Amino acid sequence: MYLDGDAFTLPLRLRNWRAGDHFSPLGMRGQRQKVQDFLTNNKVSKRQKQEILVLESQEGIVCIPGFRMAEWVRITAETKRALRITCDGLTLPMQATP
């Protein structure tokens, strides 16, 4: 995933989501949505919801790894620096398990 490197302040922090968390998912034109509602709309089970992580900066939630990034960190024509984010070794609930 590539993010606009100038849209947020480092460091980024990976943490479990909490009730009341909200973000502006890419494609929603800046409208905010509760993380809980986003996960429900994406048919994430209650058990899987307990394992969901969010990546955040001082400015807010940057992405929900494995699902969607926030609208405000997307690459645009004005982007001067891009930051590539990878989550190697991170087990995400939406991945199929053998």
Side-chain angles (χ1 to χ4, degrees):
M1 166 183 334
Y2 289 90
L3 311 174
D4 183 333
D6 294 320
F8 54 87
T9 306
L10 293 175
L12 297 177
R13 185 172 82 125
L14 191 62
R15 65 168 176 82
N16 291 350
W17 76 279
R18 298 185 288 255
D21 279 348
H22 57 273
F23 82 125
S24 300
L26 184 65
M28 288 193 59
R29 300 179 186 171
Q31 292 181 334
R32 291 167 44 130
Q33 184 176 40
K34 287 185 179 180
V35 170
Q36 180 173 343
D37 294 342
F38 175 83
L39 297 174
T40 298
N41 292 345
N42 282 276
K43 307 210 183 317
V44 176
S45 72
K46 279 187 176 185
R47 184 188 61 76
Q48 290 173 321
K49 283 180 186 177
Q50 296 172 2
E51 302 170 11
I52 298 295
L53 301 172
V54 296
L55 185 65
E56 71 175 355
S57 69
Q58 291 177 359
E59 293 80 13
I61 293 177
V62 171
C63 73
I64 301 175
F67 292 91
R68 186 122 11 120
M69 63 192 259
E71 180 80 27
W72 61 275
V73 295
R74 77 187 190 293
I75 301 291
T76 67
E78 290 79 37
T79 298
K80 298 204 181 348
R81 293 186 316 150
L83 178 65
R84 180 176 178 218
I85 301 290
T86 61
C87 295
D88 296 337
L90 184 64
T91 303
L92 299 170
M94 294 302 288
Q95 294 176 338
T97 54

